[in-house]
């Protein structure tokens, strides 16, 4: 999946477009019969004019999903197309015009269309995971997308802003696991930014990441960060347990990695 293109005309809306892409990647990666490239690999092509054949060869995939996002007032238009990179043919293409409040329903529709186009059958459990991820509150979702954008800038000022927005997100939805994970990530970032006492920041990051996993144990990124944090806090045995759990867990991604 390639990063969706921001067609809103406003660079400040980049967080929304990237967030939509990330949510689709996260949901599709939970489907056992699909091999989905990670966000890191996907976003390495952001803002680059590449052909789907090149992406296919470099990442070892057959299908490439690409699209664009347009927004006007409280309306949103998503253009999506699924391409068979081997034949170069469009497998499926669709345009969606929705009210912004229906962003979660839109994500569900895109996932269903993609899996249907590739003749993938979802189990009931996979449908539930894909459709019930995160929050149902639009304001909380959008605020967390903005917080992620600030976190990625990697400086003290943006990290502080990301923390404030993550805290505001939690106030809107106290059960939003990803918000606790991101808040923990801001404390983790304080360590390498030299913005606090490392011991205090690590302890706080561990506390928040554990909270995130208590709410949603399937957050692989949070579990990975927790392993790093345990190693930083001089508890290598706990770190080893976390990494061992990830390596030998039954997730499709890890099963594929194990047998490469």
């Amino acid at each position: 999946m390639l990063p969706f293109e921001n067609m809103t005309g406003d660079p400040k809306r980049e967080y929304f477009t990237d967030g939509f892409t990330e949510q689709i990647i996260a949901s599709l990666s939970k489907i056992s019969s699909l091999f989905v490239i990670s966000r890191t690999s996907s976003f390495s092509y952001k803002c680059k004019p590449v052909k789907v054949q090149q992406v296919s060869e470099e990442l070892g995939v057959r299908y490439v999903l690409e699209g664009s996002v347009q927004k006007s007032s409280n309306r949103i238009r998503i253009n999506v197309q699924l391409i068979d990179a081997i034949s170069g043919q469009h497998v499926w293409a669709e345009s969606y015009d929705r009210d912004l409040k229906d962003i979660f329903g839109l994500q569900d529709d895109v996932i269903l269309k993609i899996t249907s186009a590739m003749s993938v059958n979802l189990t009931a459990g996979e449908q539930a995971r894909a459709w019930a991820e995160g929050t149902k509150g639009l304001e909380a979702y959008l605020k967390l997308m903005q917080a992620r954008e600030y976190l990625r800038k990697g400086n003290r000022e943006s990290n502080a802003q990301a923390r404030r927005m993550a805290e505001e997100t939690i106030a809107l939805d106290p059960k939003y696991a990803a918000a606790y994970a991101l808040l923990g990530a801001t404390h983790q970032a304080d360590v390498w930014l030299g913005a606090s006492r490392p011991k205090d920041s690590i302890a706080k990051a561990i506390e928040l990441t554990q909270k995130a996993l208590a709410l949603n144990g399937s957050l692989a990124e949070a579990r990975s960060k927790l392993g790093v944090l345990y190693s930083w806090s001089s508890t290598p045995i706990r770190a080893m347990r976390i990494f061992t759990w990830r390596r030998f867990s039954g997730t499709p991604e890890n099963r594929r990695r194990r047998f490469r």
Side-chain angles (χ1 to χ4, degrees):
M1 179 172 178
L2 294 176
F4 279 24
E5 186 177 358
N6 176 18
M7 301 290 287
T8 64
D10 183 0
K12 293 182 179 179
R13 293 288 180 181
E14 200 75 27
Y15 76 88
F16 181 86
T17 306
D18 289 350
F20 188 86
T21 303
E22 290 176 1
Q23 289 296 316
I24 297 296
I25 290 175
S27 295
L28 289 175
S29 66
K30 297 179 186 297
I31 299 173
S32 58
S33 52
L34 289 181
F35 172 70
V36 181
I37 296 300
S38 70
R39 180 207 180 275
T40 302
S41 297
S42 173
F43 275 74
S44 67
Y45 294 97
K46 185 175 173 64
C47 299
K48 295 180 181 178
V50 294
K51 295 182 178 180
V52 292
Q53 289 82 1
Q54 176 188 343
V55 176
S56 173
E57 292 174 2
E58 292 178 351
L59 298 181
V61 296
R62 175 173 180 177
Y63 296 100
V64 176
L65 184 73
E66 59 183 15
S68 62
V69 177
Q70 294 173 285
K71 183 177 178 295
S72 177
S73 186
N74 291 323
R75 300 289 297 179
I76 183 173
R77 169 175 285 184
I78 304 288
N79 296 307
V80 192
Q81 54 185 359
L82 183 67
I83 303 171
D84 185 328
I86 296 177
S87 66
Q89 295 182 337
H90 283 73
V91 178
W92 161 75
E94 192 81 57
S95 292
Y96 297 90
D97 286 288
R98 297 285 183 85
D99 190 289
L100 187 58
K101 293 181 179 179
D102 193 31
I103 185 67
F104 301 111
L106 175 56
Q107 290 174 353
D108 295 345
D109 285 349
V110 171
I111 293 166
L112 272 180
K113 289 287 188 179
I114 294 169
T115 55
S116 176
M118 293 190 294
S119 300
V120 173
N121 294 318
L122 300 184
T123 67
E126 287 168 343
Q127 286 183 344
R129 286 197 300 271
W131 297 353
E133 189 72 23
T135 182
K136 294 301 180 184
L138 178 62
E139 187 178 356
Y141 170 80
L142 293 177
K143 192 172 287 291
L144 189 64
M145 292 304 101
Q146 288 180 290
R148 285 177 175 171
E149 192 69 18
Y150 278 110
L151 179 65
R152 292 192 185 109
K153 291 182 180 180
N155 59 64
R156 290 190 181 188
E157 293 74 19
S158 63
N159 194 58
Q161 180 65 13
R163 180 173 302 157
R164 285 192 292 270
M165 300 194 82
E167 290 170 343
E168 291 171 4
T169 302
I170 291 171
L172 290 168
D173 186 348
K175 294 185 178 181
Y176 195 178
Y180 288 96
L182 191 137
L183 183 57
T186 66
H187 287 279
Q188 183 178 7
D190 272 348
V191 177
W192 51 266
L193 288 172
S196 65
R197 292 181 66 239
K199 184 176 181 180
D200 294 341
S201 292
I202 292 170
K204 189 64 176 177
I206 288 175
E207 176 190 340
L208 290 164
T209 307
Q210 288 175 332
K211 173 70 173 179
L213 289 169
L215 290 168
N216 184 352
S218 68
L219 293 177
E221 184 178 356
R223 192 169 290 277
S224 176
K225 287 183 182 296
L226 189 58
V228 173
L229 289 165
Y230 281 150
S231 66
W232 285 4
S233 63
S234 301
T235 53
I237 293 178
R238 298 185 75 181
M240 186 181 298
R241 287 174 181 168
I242 289 292
F243 286 126
T244 300
W245 185 94
R246 288 189 71 239
R247 183 178 180 185
F248 295 104
S249 68
T251 62
E253 178 185 357
N254 290 326
R255 285 200 300 269
R256 283 190 293 270
R257 184 181 296 120
R258 203 186 318 164
F259 292 107
R260 282 183 182 176

